[in-house]
Amino acid sequence: MPRWDPKAQERLRAAALELFVEQGYENTTVTQITERAGLTRRTFSRYFTDKRDVLFAGSEQLPDAVSAAVLRADATLPPFQALLAALADIGGLFADLVPHAAQRRAIIASSPELQERERTKLAAVAEALAAALRERGATTSEAKLLAQVGIAVFQTAFERWTDQPEHADFTACVHETVAELASSLAPTAALVTTPEPESS
Amino acid sequence: MPRWDPKAQERLRAAALELFVEQGYENTTVTQITERAGLTRRTFSRYFTDKRDVLFAGSEQLPDAVSAAVLRADATLPPFQALLAALADIGGLFADLVPHAAQRRAIIASSPELQERERTKLAAVAEALAAALRERGATTSEAKLLAQVGIAVFQTAFERWTDQPEHADFTACVHETVAELASSLAPTAALVTTPEPESS
């Protein structure tokens, strides 16, 4: 048996997600997961530390990966566009999640413990994003706002894309989400930026 | 001694925040707080369940208050404007926090436990906001996006306002934050919504 087998990892992931959906995350054991996958606990341990790790494997790399991607984005891009370019750039890190994205969301929504873990993960990503945007010249306040909004846009676009992957590519989903958000903000933004047109 | 004394509550809050800043949240006891305030533990218990509650008292009312305010906003307002109107409407709930807002932020930033509590609180508010926006006709995806962005805008505007309360009223800070965000989104939104102008 090879030391590293993406198919074994994927079989374990698929088995775990199936069981989490069927009988609940809390009620599922690692033994049940390995039995469903037809693999050993030893194989499981090669890929995941525990059952929670099936849902979050790789997420500890996200803050550094996102930050590096923001910093290497084209220097001419303004902060929010650099952020979006960075999220597209590291899209490969999410590839494993795509086939199971809807299942994963439902499982996380079912457990306060998992929701908290997901929020902690996203907060670490937001902090890394904000730090990278400050390095690109954004103020502290602007960087924090854009990082939080960037994550909200990313989550929305990712959900739309993984719900209907045949309809568009991921970048198109991101741009559509941003356009929709911009149009929601427009009436309020106009109160500040646009003087009333003079009647002629 | 009166049964309910806003001055006693405020003295306890001020003493607690001072001690959290001086010696750290973890190292501060309720006894130290009551000694600093010159009040008894019994008085403390009348206003707060524990030292964490000094930072979060009232936050359990926020989701319902926010949701009700969204639902009673002018029926002609589009979703995001209804959300902003709701946040302005319930601004009174934050009045107690204003004098100590910067201190409170620093204390929360110093403790992973408090950060987690703050995220859990904001997630509950976001969920209530999204549910209210759905009742006003937003799609699930749009409601979730606008709720998350609304909270990011609110946090940014509240920080700016409490850092420099003399400069503007809170609503002006919200509008400026929205205008700034709209201008950050504009280049990406233009990729979707605005066709290239024809050269004449």
Side-chain angles (χ1 to χ4, degrees):
Chain A
M1 195 162 80
R3 296 288 305 164
W4 190 267
D5 176 1
K7 280 189 190 145
Q9 186 178 27
E10 181 48 32
R11 267 163 67 192
L12 287 163
R13 197 193 308 270
L17 289 164
E18 268 175 34
L19 286 163
F20 294 162
V21 169
E22 281 170 30
Q23 62 185 35
Y25 171 77
E26 299 301 338
N27 301 325
T28 299
T29 64
V30 169
T31 303
Q32 290 172 332
I33 295 168
T34 57
E35 280 170 5
R36 173 74 61 105
L39 294 163
T40 61
R41 280 190 74 104
R42 207 175 141 153
T43 304
F44 183 92
S45 305
R46 204 173 293 151
Y47 302 106
F48 304 109
T49 53
D50 53 27
K51 69 177 178 175
R52 198 174 73 165
D53 194 34
V54 176
L55 297 165
F56 293 101
S59 66
E60 66 288 349
Q61 311 163 30
L62 269 182
D64 286 350
V66 166
S67 166
V70 168
L71 294 176
R72 72 175 170 258
D74 188 315
T76 63
L77 290 175
F80 192 72
Q81 281 63 44
L83 181 160
L84 294 180
L87 295 176
D89 182 7
I90 61 160
L93 291 179
F94 307 102
D96 281 2
L97 298 175
V98 172
H100 308 295
Q103 263 181 328
R104 181 178 179 280
R105 269 199 295 282
I107 294 157
I108 289 177
S110 75
S111 154
E113 178 206 332
L114 295 175
Q115 286 172 35
E116 184 198 306
R117 179 74 185 77
E118 180 79 351
R119 284 195 294 267
T120 303
K121 178 189 93 175
L122 291 173
V125 174
E127 207 163 300
L129 266 175
L133 293 175
R134 286 197 303 274
E135 276 200 56
R136 291 184 67 107
T139 66
T140 300
S141 176
E142 182 191 13
K144 193 171 156 191
L145 175 66
L146 295 182
Q148 288 179 299
V149 171
I151 284 175
V153 164
F154 180 81
Q155 285 184 288
T156 301
F158 191 73
E159 284 188 23
R160 290 179 184 183
W161 181 56
T162 52
D163 282 350
Q164 311 191 310
E166 70 285 0
H167 285 181
D169 71 5
F170 177 57
T171 303
C173 288
V174 169
H175 290 175
E176 277 163 28
T177 302
V178 172
E180 184 182 307
L181 178 57
S183 118
S184 292
L185 304 182
T188 304
L191 297 175
V192 176
T193 54
T194 315
E196 285 290 309
E198 282 176 34
S199 51
S200 54
Chain B
M1 192 164 79
R3 295 290 301 165
W4 189 266
D5 176 1
K7 279 189 191 147
Q9 187 177 26
E10 180 48 32
R11 267 165 65 193
L12 287 163
R13 198 194 306 271
L17 289 165
E18 267 174 35
L19 287 164
F20 294 163
V21 169
E22 281 170 28
Q23 60 185 36
Y25 172 78
E26 299 300 338
N27 301 324
T28 300
T29 64
V30 170
T31 303
Q32 291 172 331
I33 295 169
T34 56
E35 281 172 3
R36 172 74 61 105
L39 294 163
T40 62
R41 281 190 72 105
R42 207 177 141 150
T43 305
F44 183 92
S45 305
R46 206 174 290 151
Y47 302 106
F48 304 109
T49 54
D50 53 27
K51 66 176 179 176
R52 199 172 73 164
D53 193 34
V54 177
L55 296 165
F56 294 101
S59 67
E60 66 287 350
Q61 311 162 30
L62 269 182
D64 285 351
V66 165
S67 166
V70 168
L71 294 175
R72 72 175 171 259
D74 188 314
T76 63
L77 290 176
F80 192 72
Q81 281 63 43
L83 182 160
L84 295 180
L87 294 177
D89 183 6
I90 61 161
L93 290 180
F94 306 102
D96 281 1
L97 298 175
V98 173
H100 308 296
Q103 266 181 325
R104 180 179 180 278
R105 270 199 295 283
I107 295 157
I108 288 176
S110 75
S111 156
E113 178 206 332
L114 295 175
Q115 286 172 35
E116 184 197 307
R117 180 73 185 76
E118 180 79 350
R119 285 196 293 267
T120 303
K121 178 190 92 175
L122 291 172
V125 174
E127 206 164 299
L129 267 175
L133 293 175
R134 286 198 302 274
E135 276 199 57
R136 290 184 69 107
T139 65
T140 300
S141 176
E142 182 190 15
K144 193 171 155 191
L145 175 66
L146 295 182
Q148 288 179 301
V149 171
I151 283 174
V153 164
F154 179 81
Q155 285 185 288
T156 301
F158 190 73
E159 284 188 22
R160 291 180 184 183
W161 182 56
T162 52
D163 283 349
Q164 313 192 307
E166 71 283 3
H167 285 179
D169 71 4
F170 177 58
T171 304
C173 288
V174 169
H175 290 175
E176 276 163 27
T177 303
V178 172
E180 183 182 307
L181 179 58
S183 117
S184 293
L185 303 182
T188 304
L191 296 175
V192 177
T193 54
T194 316
E196 285 291 310
E198 283 177 35
S199 51
S200 55

